[in-house]
Amino acid sequence: MNQIERFPTPLPVPFSKAVRAGGFLFLSGQLAMAADGSIVEGDIAVQTRVVLERIAATLQELGSGMADVVKTTVWLGSLDDFAAFNDEYRKHFGAGLPARSTVEARLYRNAKVEIEVMAFAPER
């Protein structure tokens, strides 16, 4: 029987930071957010690095890693940042690039990027 396991976020928001279901981890979208809820200052490379480091930490905490990511969905505050975003994004995945969708959207508190991931995470 498949089980669904939910991992609460420490933030005061109505969603889980991750859900494990059927051998996969689904992580909620991540922003470059500081502990006080403010958006980390910096350009798209800085914010992308912060977001992907947080994603990597959450995956590690749940027994997975960046190499297990099979799909990402990316929202950019401006598609003008697409090339610089790609430069930083590539550094965090190497040759094991996941499938990806990227769209432009107005983001919470004018963040420059939000990323959610799905990772393969069979029971170990």
Side-chain angles (χ1 to χ4, degrees), residues 12-72:
V13 292
F15 57 80
S16 297
K17 72 176 177 180
V19 174
R20 183 186 305 273
F24 285 89
L25 281 171
F26 300 86
L27 273 61
S28 293
Q30 290 286 311
L31 298 166
M33 193 175 288
D36 67 359
S38 65
I39 299 299
V40 172
E41 293 292 323
D43 63 12
I44 189 67
V46 168
Q47 288 196 14
T48 300
R49 184 177 323 109
V50 169
V51 168
L52 290 170
E53 287 171 352
R54 285 188 158 190
I55 287 170
T58 299
L59 289 171
Q60 183 177 17
E61 172 189 336
L62 301 176
S64 191
M66 296 298 275
D68 299 314
V69 174
V70 296
K71 172 76 167 76
T72 65

Side-chain angles (χ1 to χ4, degrees), residues 47-119:
Q47 288 196 14
T48 300
R49 184 177 323 109
V50 169
V51 168
L52 290 170
E53 287 171 352
R54 285 188 158 190
I55 287 170
T58 299
L59 289 171
Q60 183 177 17
E61 172 189 336
L62 301 176
S64 191
M66 296 298 275
D68 299 314
V69 174
V70 296
K71 172 76 167 76
T72 65
T73 303
V74 176
W75 293 269
L76 294 176
S78 172
L79 286 177
D80 292 341
D81 289 333
F82 192 72
F85 164 79
N86 277 334
D87 289 342
E88 185 62 34
Y89 179 90
R90 187 176 290 112
K91 295 174 188 175
H92 296 267
F93 290 103
L97 292 169
R100 184 179 96 189
S101 300
T102 305
V103 297
E104 181 181 53
R106 183 170 177 204
L107 300 174
Y108 179 73
R109 295 196 176 168
N110 295 315
K112 296 181 184 324
V113 61
E114 181 171 351
I115 303 172
E116 72 177 24
V117 305
M118 291 175 263

